[in-house]
Amino acid sequence: MCRFVQWWIVFAVLLMAHGARAADQNHFASIYLDGKKIGQVHYTVRTNDQGMVEELQTRSSLSILGFQVYYFTQDLHEVWKSGELQSMQGNTDDHNTIFKSSLQRKPTEYDGVLNGKTLSLPHNAFPTSVWHYAITQKSLLFDLKDLRLMKVKVSRSEDPVASSGRSIPASRFDFSGEWQASIWFDQNKQLLKMNYNVQGRNVVVTIDSN
């Protein structure tokens, strides 16, 4: 269960780009497992004198026969400037497994801390912030939860997305390798949805209609 929940967060971060034009705009995205809604993402985007600031809260849980068998919460605070991540603070509770992480962009690399242990990441590593169209051009990513580096390959195809009874032209990007997912962007390079399959289960995250 824990693997597919990671993708909900990753996908949710991407959605924040929709509100980047105005300060303190709130948005929501829904998480579905096998067609059933099991969680929601609340994200806020604002722009200050330091750049674009994104704040994300994800709350999701899975219950079977009335018993909660899984839950996941994550709070992220990111600062971006000129399309590059400048800093990040994250707190994640993955069903009682805790991750406290931070990153700071330095001249030659990212200085990071994960659960009190220091680490470094190369500048050419891109976060799994799928709202950012630039992710489709990257071959090295890092997980926003545990800062793990992942090598990937990306293929593109044209694949429209059905929404509210209409078909939206979209480009689909399939990621393979150490990070596997499919994400769809519209013609304005705005994220529409993300799809991930794990253990025979289909996880989909979509932007809620305004």
Side-chain angles (χ1 to χ4, degrees):
M1 292 295 180
C2 60
R3 289 304 303 273
F4 69 74
V5 177
Q6 296 177 37
W7 298 103
W8 307 347
I9 308 311
V10 169
F11 177 86
V13 178
L14 83 87
L15 305 176
M16 294 185 281
H18 288 266
R21 298 176 182 174
D24 295 313
Q25 288 196 4
N26 293 296
H27 301 270
F28 297 88
S30 295
I31 304 165
Y32 298 88
L33 175 63
D34 295 336
K36 177 183 178 181
K37 184 174 179 178
I38 62 171
Q40 191 167 50
V41 180
H42 173 207
Y43 53 96
T44 302
V45 180
R46 68 178 184 275
T47 301
N48 62 18
D49 56 358
Q50 295 178 328
M52 186 170 65
V53 178
E54 301 153 2
E55 296 176 346
L56 169 70
Q57 291 184 334
T58 299
R59 303 289 183 268
S60 57
S61 64
L62 175 64
S63 297
I64 297 177
L65 298 177
F67 294 94
Q68 186 182 62
V69 297
Y70 190 81
Y71 68 88
F72 182 95
T73 66
Q74 185 176 61
D75 298 314
L76 291 174
H77 179 97
E78 300 179 17
V79 177
W80 291 73
K81 187 174 183 179
S82 301
E84 295 181 337
L85 180 66
Q86 303 300 307
S87 64
M88 187 272 289
Q89 299 284 334
N91 290 281
T92 303
D93 183 346
D94 191 348
H95 204 63
N96 287 327
T97 300
I98 306 300
F99 298 88
K100 293 184 179 295
S101 59
S102 66
L103 277 181
Q104 188 70 41
R105 188 178 181 89
K106 298 297 183 179
T108 59
E109 62 186 10
Y110 287 105
D111 286 347
V113 179
L114 177 64
N115 291 344
K117 296 182 179 180
T118 59
L119 54 84
S120 62
L121 297 177
H123 274 175
N124 66 324
F126 196 83
T128 48
S129 300
V130 293
W131 61 266
H132 204 304
Y133 188 82
I135 195 175
T136 65
Q137 303 168 353
K138 306 299 180 179
S139 60
L140 183 64
L141 306 177
F142 65 85
D143 194 306
L144 284 166
K145 183 182 74 172
D146 57 16
L147 307 182
R148 175 172 52 95
L149 286 171
M150 300 171 291
K151 295 179 180 180
V152 299
K153 293 183 178 180
V154 186
S155 62
R156 175 178 177 169
S157 60
E158 299 308 305
D159 184 22
V161 172
S163 177
S164 301
R166 63 192 183 100
S167 179
I168 302 175
S171 296
R172 170 177 171 168
F173 296 88
D174 294 311
F175 291 76
S176 60
E178 296 176 325
W179 194 77
Q180 298 182 11
S182 296
I183 55 178
W184 285 257
F185 289 92
D186 67 16
Q187 294 178 325
N188 295 318
K189 298 183 178 180
Q190 298 295 314
L191 181 73
L192 293 174
K193 75 171 186 177
M194 178 177 181
N195 192 0
Y196 180 63
N197 290 293
V198 61
Q199 298 178 356
R201 293 176 179 267
N202 187 41
V203 179
V204 178
V205 184
T206 61
I207 300 171
D208 290 350
S209 299
N210 293 328

